[in-house]
Amino acid sequence: MIVFESVCKSFGATVVFDGLNDAFEKGKVSCLLAPSGSGKTTLLNMVAGTLKPDGGTIKNLPEAVSYVFQEERLIPQKTAYKNLEFVLKPKYPDAKKLGAIIASHLEAAGLKDAADMYPNEMSGGMRQRLSLIRALANPAETLLMDEPFNALDMTLRAGITDMFLKYLATYKKTVLFVTHDLDEAISAGDNIHIYTSKPMRLIIKLEIPGTKGERKLYDGAMTKFKKEIYRLTAEK
Amino acid sequence: MTKFFKDGGFKGRIIKVICFLLALTVIICIWQYLSEHFYPRIGVIPSPLKTLATVRSEMAKDSFFKAVFGTLSRSIISFVYAFVPAFILAALSHIFKPLKQFFNPFIAICRAMPTIALIFIIILIVGTEKLPLLIALLVVFPLVYENIYAAFENVDKSLLAMANVFKVGRLRQITGIYLPAILPYIFSSVIAGFGLNIKVVIAAEVMGLPSMSIGYLILVANQRMDFTISFAWLAIAVVLSYLCETVLKIISRFSMPYIYPDRKILKTYCKKAFHKVKGLVGAIKAKGGTGR
């Protein structure tokens, strides 16, 4: 379990965390809901180890993480295959195994025919899928996702969320999933962490009812659950 | 095939060739006009046809290839002399920012100092033998340094952050992110710098008088008032510079298929055509075999 204990972080005069306490369970998908600009990306960067807290402690920080960024962050000079290879080669020194892993992930994402395409030749959805499989194929226990599907239309979004869920059913990972879309959080998550705006503070952590993958987004119980979340966020 | 015509810029390439030929025609017309109107009796500016004939006669001489090879090798060596330290220092300046501040005045002096003044100073200090090398170094170094430094500064920081998050090693980051990002800048500085370098080397050769060089032959022709030969060598120098630039441009285009996707399409098309021909040849051979 990744535990934040009284974590403080400021950027100049801007206080992002002023004693943040929270815990993210191992092997679970934790969805982070908070107003824009409240510090969700800062939280993810701290878990990734690229930012250090000014005060407090973070316990059980993972040694390696995978990260799906808001933007795709693909290397424009490399093809889809080479983009995956760039990240995965140090982890899979055996060329045959590496090739098989990349091929299987490209196929799962529907990008088999795009292996030789450069990012500027791909559509936004293809690029985002590539960015997602880059993170999924990386053998790290923790996966950080920072509003990765924001730029996608509804159909693409649903498709990618589906792919993500199938993947999680096979590989158990600790996931911190930042999103503004409550339906997306309910579809993919195990629990939801709701925060205040800056300085960011945990309001409540809720277990999402039902079994993941079988949840009905608009049945009575789920509508009630959503109403409760809207009430909590509106109150704070 | 249709895709090649659509995306590969085939039309654009035709337009390019037409524009090039048009520009060449205009240049030749202006050249012809100038040769007829400026001291035609002395022949300060020989006509294009006369120059062409002289170029052909110069090419038949033994000295031609020696002079071209001499100037070209001097240009390449001096360019490498300038490029390597400029590249290393630009990389170091990117890592240690105060170095950039330290080098700024040197670069400003190199840029602002008139080449002719530099030539006289260097002749006094090191003599004429190494003059072309040193002059080229001083002229090309600032251009390459600034270009490569800008390239390093423009490397996408978010990609480096991504590589750090995924724990990609430093060497892999250099080869996978830095090098591809600075490659276009390297090529543009090589193309611009090398063209400039040939000019500067020839100017320095005129002053430094190394035997077997284009500059030396231009000077000798001028001293004999043989403007046709002098002009012919100028034309040879222009063509030489243009050829070098073209070769470098072709190399740069094939090295960066992500910038020039038409090359990729062309390559795929050529591959397909090759396989078709190969299949056809195989079929003909097989037919011949059964016929026998």
Side-chain angles (χ1 to χ4, degrees), chain A residues 9 15-20 38 196-202:
Chain A
K9 183 74 190 172
V15 181
V16 184
F17 304 146
D18 188 15
L20 175 73
S38 52
T196 62
S197 60
K198 248 179 255 155
M200 201 166 117
R201 196 168 46 78
L202 180 71

Side-chain angles (χ1 to χ4, degrees), chain A residues 21 67 114 158 195:
Chain A
N21 292 298
Y67 206 135
Y195 300 92

